[in-house]
mmCIF file of all heavy atoms in Angstrom:
data_model
loop_
_atom_site.group_PDB
_atom_site.id
_atom_site.type_symbol
_atom_site.label_atom_id
_atom_site.label_comp_id
_atom_site.label_asym_id
_atom_site.label_seq_id
_atom_site.Cartn_x
_atom_site.Cartn_y
_atom_site.Cartn_z
ATOM 1 N N ILE R 220 23.318 79.758 191.863
ATOM 2 C CA ILE R 220 23.031 80.776 192.878
ATOM 3 C C ILE R 220 21.942 80.267 193.814
ATOM 4 O O ILE R 220 22.083 80.335 195.036
ATOM 5 C CB ILE R 220 22.612 82.117 192.231
ATOM 6 C CG1 ILE R 220 23.795 82.741 191.484
ATOM 7 C CG2 ILE R 220 22.066 83.093 193.292
ATOM 8 C CD1 ILE R 220 23.440 83.946 190.626
ATOM 9 N N ARG R 221 20.855 79.750 193.260
ATOM 10 C CA ARG R 221 19.748 79.232 194.076
ATOM 11 C C ARG R 221 20.216 78.095 194.983
ATOM 12 O O ARG R 221 19.875 78.045 196.165
ATOM 13 C CB ARG R 221 18.607 78.753 193.185
ATOM 14 C CG ARG R 221 17.408 78.248 193.997
ATOM 15 C CD ARG R 221 16.259 77.803 193.112
ATOM 16 N NE ARG R 221 15.690 78.948 192.426
ATOM 17 C CZ ARG R 221 15.582 79.052 191.100
ATOM 18 N NH1 ARG R 221 16.005 78.082 190.311
ATOM 19 N NH2 ARG R 221 15.041 80.116 190.572
ATOM 20 N N TYR R 222 21.010 77.183 194.438
ATOM 21 C CA TYR R 222 21.508 76.046 195.216
ATOM 22 C C TYR R 222 22.290 76.524 196.436
ATOM 23 O O TYR R 222 21.998 76.126 197.566
ATOM 24 C CB TYR R 222 22.384 75.145 194.338
ATOM 25 C CG TYR R 222 23.121 74.098 195.125
ATOM 26 C CD1 TYR R 222 22.467 72.954 195.568
ATOM 27 C CD2 TYR R 222 24.469 74.253 195.447
ATOM 28 C CE1 TYR R 222 23.138 71.994 196.310
ATOM 29 C CE2 TYR R 222 25.148 73.304 196.173
ATOM 30 C CZ TYR R 222 24.474 72.173 196.611
ATOM 31 O OH TYR R 222 25.142 71.228 197.352
ATOM 32 N N PHE R 223 23.293 77.383 196.203
ATOM 33 C CA PHE R 223 24.121 77.846 197.314
ATOM 34 C C PHE R 223 23.322 78.709 198.287
ATOM 35 O O PHE R 223 23.526 78.634 199.499
ATOM 36 C CB PHE R 223 25.342 78.614 196.804
ATOM 37 C CG PHE R 223 26.411 77.721 196.226
ATOM 38 C CD1 PHE R 223 26.692 77.756 194.877
ATOM 39 C CD2 PHE R 223 27.131 76.858 197.037
ATOM 40 C CE1 PHE R 223 27.678 76.937 194.337
ATOM 41 C CE2 PHE R 223 28.115 76.030 196.512
ATOM 42 C CZ PHE R 223 28.388 76.071 195.154
ATOM 43 N N ARG R 224 22.397 79.518 197.788
ATOM 44 C CA ARG R 224 21.572 80.363 198.664
ATOM 45 C C ARG R 224 20.717 79.494 199.581
ATOM 46 O O ARG R 224 20.683 79.690 200.797
ATOM 47 C CB ARG R 224 20.678 81.289 197.829
ATOM 48 C CG ARG R 224 19.719 82.123 198.678
ATOM 49 C CD ARG R 224 18.855 83.033 197.849
ATOM 50 N NE ARG R 224 17.980 82.347 196.922
ATOM 51 C CZ ARG R 224 16.840 81.732 197.251
ATOM 52 N NH1 ARG R 224 16.438 81.691 198.515
ATOM 53 N NH2 ARG R 224 16.085 81.162 196.323
ATOM 54 N N LYS R 225 20.034 78.512 198.994
ATOM 55 C CA LYS R 225 19.162 77.643 199.795
ATOM 56 C C LYS R 225 19.968 76.772 200.752
ATOM 57 O O LYS R 225 19.532 76.517 201.877
ATOM 58 C CB LYS R 225 18.296 76.782 198.884
ATOM 59 C CG LYS R 225 17.197 77.581 198.227
ATOM 60 C CD LYS R 225 16.227 76.686 197.493
ATOM 61 C CE LYS R 225 15.031 77.484 197.023
ATOM 62 N NZ LYS R 225 13.996 76.616 196.455
ATOM 63 N N GLU R 226 21.133 76.332 200.301
ATOM 64 C CA GLU R 226 22.002 75.525 201.159
ATOM 65 C C GLU R 226 22.375 76.293 202.425
ATOM 66 O O GLU R 226 22.526 75.720 203.495
ATOM 67 C CB GLU R 226 23.258 75.131 200.377
ATOM 68 C CG GLU R 226 24.193 74.214 201.138
ATOM 69 C CD GLU R 226 25.415 73.850 200.325
ATOM 70 O OE1 GLU R 226 26.157 74.761 199.912
ATOM 71 O OE2 GLU R 226 25.621 72.649 200.110
ATOM 72 N N ARG R 227 22.470 77.609 202.310
ATOM 73 C CA ARG R 227 22.823 78.451 203.453
ATOM 74 C C ARG R 227 21.608 79.000 204.193
ATOM 75 O O ARG R 227 21.734 79.758 205.138
ATOM 76 C CB ARG R 227 23.727 79.587 202.978
ATOM 77 C CG ARG R 227 25.136 79.094 202.749
ATOM 78 C CD ARG R 227 25.876 79.853 201.700
ATOM 79 N NE ARG R 227 27.218 79.309 201.499
ATOM 80 C CZ ARG R 227 27.485 78.181 200.840
ATOM 81 N NH1 ARG R 227 26.522 77.468 200.302
ATOM 82 N NH2 ARG R 227 28.717 77.736 200.700
ATOM 83 N N GLY R 228 20.412 78.631 203.725
ATOM 84 C CA GLY R 228 19.194 79.051 204.393
ATOM 85 C C GLY R 228 18.874 80.528 204.238
ATOM 86 O O GLY R 228 18.226 81.109 205.107
ATOM 87 N N LEU R 229 19.329 81.119 203.151
ATOM 88 C CA LEU R 229 19.094 82.549 202.921
ATOM 89 C C LEU R 229 17.902 82.761 202.002
ATOM 90 O O LEU R 229 17.683 81.984 201.066
ATOM 91 C CB LEU R 229 20.318 83.198 202.265
ATOM 92 C CG LEU R 229 21.619 83.219 203.055
ATOM 93 C CD1 LEU R 229 22.757 83.732 202.184
ATOM 94 C CD2 LEU R 229 21.464 84.088 204.293
ATOM 95 N N SER R 230 17.159 83.821 202.239
ATOM 96 C CA SER R 230 16.123 84.242 201.303
ATOM 97 C C SER R 230 16.805 85.055 200.200
ATOM 98 O O SER R 230 17.958 85.481 200.350
ATOM 99 C CB SER R 230 15.072 85.099 202.001
ATOM 100 O OG SER R 230 15.648 86.344 202.388
ATOM 101 N N GLN R 231 16.084 85.288 199.110
ATOM 102 C CA GLN R 231 16.626 86.143 198.058
ATOM 103 C C GLN R 231 16.922 87.531 198.600
ATOM 104 O O GLN R 231 17.942 88.140 198.255
ATOM 105 C CB GLN R 231 15.649 86.236 196.886
ATOM 106 C CG GLN R 231 15.556 84.972 196.074
ATOM 107 C CD GLN R 231 14.586 85.085 194.916
ATOM 108 O OE1 GLN R 231 13.805 86.035 194.829
ATOM 109 N NE2 GLN R 231 14.629 84.113 194.021
ATOM 110 N N GLU R 232 16.041 88.028 199.468
ATOM 111 C CA GLU R 232 16.226 89.357 200.046
ATOM 112 C C GLU R 232 17.482 89.420 200.908
ATOM 113 O O GLU R 232 18.235 90.398 200.858
ATOM 114 C CB GLU R 232 14.995 89.762 200.870
ATOM 115 C CG GLU R 232 13.749 89.995 200.052
ATOM 116 C CD GLU R 232 13.031 88.701 199.618
ATOM 117 O OE1 GLU R 232 13.349 87.603 200.120
ATOM 118 O OE2 GLU R 232 12.147 88.802 198.747
ATOM 119 N N GLU R 233 17.705 88.374 201.719
ATOM 120 C CA GLU R 233 18.889 88.357 202.580
ATOM 121 C C GLU R 233 20.169 88.309 201.747
ATOM 122 O O GLU R 233 21.136 89.028 202.030
ATOM 123 C CB GLU R 233 18.838 87.160 203.526
ATOM 124 C CG GLU R 233 17.762 87.273 204.588
ATOM 125 C CD GLU R 233 17.517 85.963 205.327
ATOM 126 O OE1 GLU R 233 17.637 84.874 204.724
ATOM 127 O OE2 GLU R 233 17.178 86.045 206.528
ATOM 128 N N LEU R 234 20.162 87.468 200.707
ATOM 129 C CA LEU R 234 21.335 87.388 199.847
ATOM 130 C C LEU R 234 21.574 88.723 199.147
ATOM 131 O O LEU R 234 22.706 89.212 199.090
ATOM 132 C CB LEU R 234 21.186 86.268 198.812
ATOM 133 C CG LEU R 234 22.315 86.147 197.782
ATOM 134 C CD1 LEU R 234 23.666 85.939 198.461
ATOM 135 C CD2 LEU R 234 22.021 85.028 196.801
ATOM 136 N N ALA R 235 20.509 89.313 198.636
ATOM 137 C CA ALA R 235 20.632 90.609 197.948
ATOM 138 C C ALA R 235 21.229 91.661 198.883
ATOM 139 O O ALA R 235 22.130 92.413 198.497
ATOM 140 C CB ALA R 235 19.267 91.054 197.432
ATOM 141 N N HIS R 236 20.734 91.705 200.108
ATOM 142 C CA HIS R 236 21.235 92.683 201.079
ATOM 143 C C HIS R 236 22.722 92.458 201.345
ATOM 144 O O HIS R 236 23.513 93.415 201.326
ATOM 145 C CB HIS R 236 20.436 92.597 202.380
ATOM 146 C CG HIS R 236 20.930 93.527 203.443
ATOM 147 N ND1 HIS R 236 20.746 94.891 203.399
ATOM 148 C CD2 HIS R 236 21.625 93.269 204.581
ATOM 149 C CE1 HIS R 236 21.313 95.439 204.454
ATOM 150 N NE2 HIS R 236 21.852 94.472 205.189
ATOM 151 N N GLN R 237 23.104 91.205 201.593
ATOM 152 C CA GLN R 237 24.507 90.901 201.898
ATOM 153 C C GLN R 237 25.422 91.152 200.706
ATOM 154 O O GLN R 237 26.601 91.467 200.886
ATOM 155 C CB GLN R 237 24.640 89.448 202.371
ATOM 156 C CG GLN R 237 24.016 89.219 203.729
ATOM 157 C CD GLN R 237 24.122 87.768 204.190
ATOM 158 O OE1 GLN R 237 24.969 87.026 203.728
ATOM 159 N NE2 GLN R 237 23.251 87.375 205.108
ATOM 160 N N ALA R 238 24.874 91.019 199.483
ATOM 161 C CA ALA R 238 25.675 91.229 198.276
ATOM 162 C C ALA R 238 25.585 92.666 197.762
ATOM 163 O O ALA R 238 26.203 92.989 196.745
ATOM 164 C CB ALA R 238 25.217 90.253 197.194
ATOM 165 N N SER R 239 24.810 93.504 198.432
ATOM 166 C CA SER R 239 24.580 94.891 197.990
ATOM 167 C C SER R 239 23.998 94.941 196.578
ATOM 168 O O SER R 239 24.419 95.733 195.734
ATOM 169 C CB SER R 239 25.864 95.719 198.067
ATOM 170 O OG SER R 239 26.335 95.765 199.390
ATOM 171 N N LEU R 240 23.032 94.057 196.326
ATOM 172 C CA LEU R 240 22.320 94.004 195.046
ATOM 173 C C LEU R 240 20.829 94.086 195.326
ATOM 174 O O LEU R 240 20.392 93.868 196.462
ATOM 175 C CB LEU R 240 22.640 92.700 194.299
ATOM 176 C CG LEU R 240 24.099 92.486 193.895
ATOM 177 C CD1 LEU R 240 24.326 91.059 193.428
ATOM 178 C CD2 LEU R 240 24.502 93.473 192.808
ATOM 179 N N HIS R 241 20.036 94.361 194.313
ATOM 180 C CA HIS R 241 18.589 94.445 194.493
ATOM 181 C C HIS R 241 17.993 93.037 194.519
ATOM 182 O O HIS R 241 18.416 92.164 193.767
ATOM 183 C CB HIS R 241 17.964 95.277 193.368
ATOM 184 C CG HIS R 241 16.599 95.769 193.707
ATOM 185 N ND1 HIS R 241 15.475 94.986 193.559
ATOM 186 C CD2 HIS R 241 16.178 96.954 194.209
ATOM 187 C CE1 HIS R 241 14.422 95.670 193.948
ATOM 188 N NE2 HIS R 241 14.827 96.872 194.350
ATOM 189 N N ASN R 242 17.005 92.815 195.397
ATOM 190 C CA ASN R 242 16.431 91.477 195.534
ATOM 191 C C ASN R 242 15.754 90.990 194.253
ATOM 192 O O ASN R 242 15.764 89.796 193.966
ATOM 193 C CB ASN R 242 15.488 91.383 196.743
ATOM 194 C CG ASN R 242 14.308 92.317 196.660
ATOM 195 O OD1 ASN R 242 14.437 93.442 196.192
ATOM 196 N ND2 ASN R 242 13.166 91.859 197.109
ATOM 197 N N THR R 243 15.172 91.900 193.456
ATOM 198 C CA THR R 243 14.559 91.449 192.205
ATOM 199 C C THR R 243 15.636 90.983 191.217
ATOM 200 O O THR R 243 15.388 90.074 190.419
ATOM 201 C CB THR R 243 13.694 92.545 191.543
ATOM 202 O OG1 THR R 243 14.489 93.702 191.312
ATOM 203 C CG2 THR R 243 12.503 92.897 192.409
#
């Protein structure tokens, strides 16, 4: 998850928002 998130330049918060999940 971290690899693909960072590869796309997303923060945890941005990924959480796009996935409709909580950032924590």
Side-chain angles (χ1 to χ4, degrees):
I220 292 171
R221 182 179 293 123
Y222 170 78
F223 285 112
R224 176 180 62 77
K225 287 188 172 187
E226 184 180 59
R227 283 151 181 76
L229 296 173
S230 68
Q231 288 180 348
E232 292 78 12
E233 291 168 326
L234 176 58
H236 177 73
Q237 291 179 22
S239 299
L240 297 168
H241 198 278
N242 61 322
T243 57

